[in-house]
Amino acid sequence: MKRLKEIKNNELFYNGYSLTALARKYGTPLKITFLDVIKDHIVSLKASFDKAIKKNNYPAKFIYLNANKANYGALEVIEAFKHADGLETSSYYDLLFTHELFNRYPEYKYKYIVCNGYKLDDYIGEIIKIHNEGIKIIDIIDSVSEYVALKKSGLAIEVGMRIHIEAMYSEKEEEIKNDRFGLMDSEIDYILNDIKNTNLTLSTIHFHQRGFDYEEDKFEANFEKVFNKYYIKAAKLYKSVTNFNMGGGTPLPVDEGFDYDKWANYVLNLIMKLCNKEGLPYPNLMSENGKYSQKDATVNIYKVVGIKYTDKYPWHIVDGSLLIAMPEMYALGEPIEVRPINGLDQEMVKGYLAGITCDCDDVYFEKDKGYINLPKIDELYIGLMGTGSYQNSMNGKGGVHHCLLPEEKDLVINDGEVTIRSELQSIEDIYKIMKL
Ligand SMILES: Cc1ncc(COP(=O)(O)O)c(C=O)c1O
């Protein structure tokens, strides 16, 4: 995969563009989404798995789903829809949106919809409606009540079971986080025993390991556990069980030379080893990619508009809010690279960055150093690299923000064509949302 970041003429280029030139031309604060990065990531992961499938004569498919939840920008989801094998939803509203996309793009009606999340009647009703339209929809059952409702429909809906993963977390995390999703062993046994008396078709075993950067040993442990304990059991009972769905959490960052060809080969070999032991046919492998599809497609750029000297190092104040731009970093420790993008050959000074809100926590410096190195120049721009996943959902894009700061001008770039998706939010736009 091509490198996204490059230093040329002492400036940072991203996806072939000078970020400084874009900042000067369009003004800051600025948010830029490169749709072709979404396409490149999807096409390239699919190609890695296709190569591994060929190399191993693997007789089944790799199915790439875009996890919509990562970014609800319509253009971002549509771009993913074009190149992925389907869309993964996590709520009734997400499914309404997905259904709308399937209606608007009938040429992709052959693709999959895979439904996760806790489901009430509205969500289940929409799944039934879509199933009746002949779209390939798989409901991943997350609770027994959902199973009972689907069973009552009497329809031949394709279903999967989400396996509850016990807390098995990264050593990097101090706290163990609990995960409320999935079915417990007794519920799985009940469904496995009961489903033969229904019209439902069990096709998929699903797990999703949440909340930490990819670590091969943890991934392998969860993967093997779910495969050995649940996939094998279900596949031995029902020939219809042909998909193993490994959820999200595909390794990142793409830019740092991770070998996806090697990874795809490793994952397929893991499955082959586990199936060979049991003499089972190899399943299709499903992957629900949120962060991998969307994170790297977006960068934010701010200008340093003032300096204050109240502490050990100078505070460099930017024309926006770091806290609003990267809520996932502040709330959950998601790594997002923050760096100067111009004057990279100039003398560097130790400093802190601060947003222009009144919030004491709207600050950034490298935790391990206690400061960030910044060029000592008059016109300095700061880039936040990789804000394309989950930030918009968490910061309420389109809303009223901290200190009434306006949202960045929003640019979309696709194959060299630059479109202004929205101008810098105006005070009138904000009043409207406030119902003033
Ligand atoms: C069921 C499920 N699948 C996929 C994803 C996407 O995960 P990621 O963003 O790590 O790809 C999530 C994220 O919460 C999820 O809950």
Side-chain angles (χ1 to χ4, degrees), residues 67 69 88 116 162 206 208 247-249 288-292 390:
K69 71 201 89 191
E88 185 256 354
N116 273 298
R162 178 160 176 175
H206 174 283
H208 169 72
E288 300 167 344
N289 294 289
K291 227 187 261 186
Y292 173 85
Y390 301 108

Side-chain angles (χ1 to χ4, degrees), residues 153-211:
S153 77
L155 294 166
I157 295 175
E158 191 174 335
V159 296
M161 290 196 292
R162 178 160 176 175
I163 307 303
H164 176 77
I165 301 264
E166 280 165 40
M168 185 191 246
Y169 292 102
S170 161
E171 273 128 39
K172 282 186 210 152
E173 293 200 24
E174 281 159 19
E175 257 175 84
I176 290 190
K177 291 178 187 156
N178 295 314
D179 183 339
R180 68 190 179 282
F181 293 101
L183 299 161
M184 302 300 289
D185 283 5
S186 59
E187 298 171 319
I188 292 166
D189 287 343
Y190 164 69
I191 294 175
L192 281 179
N193 183 44
D194 190 68
I195 201 164
K196 60 180 173 300
N197 308 316
T198 74
N199 286 332
L200 302 174
T201 307
L202 180 65
S203 70
T204 306
I205 298 298
H206 174 283
F207 80 103
H208 169 72
Q209 65 183 31
R210 59 154 287 179

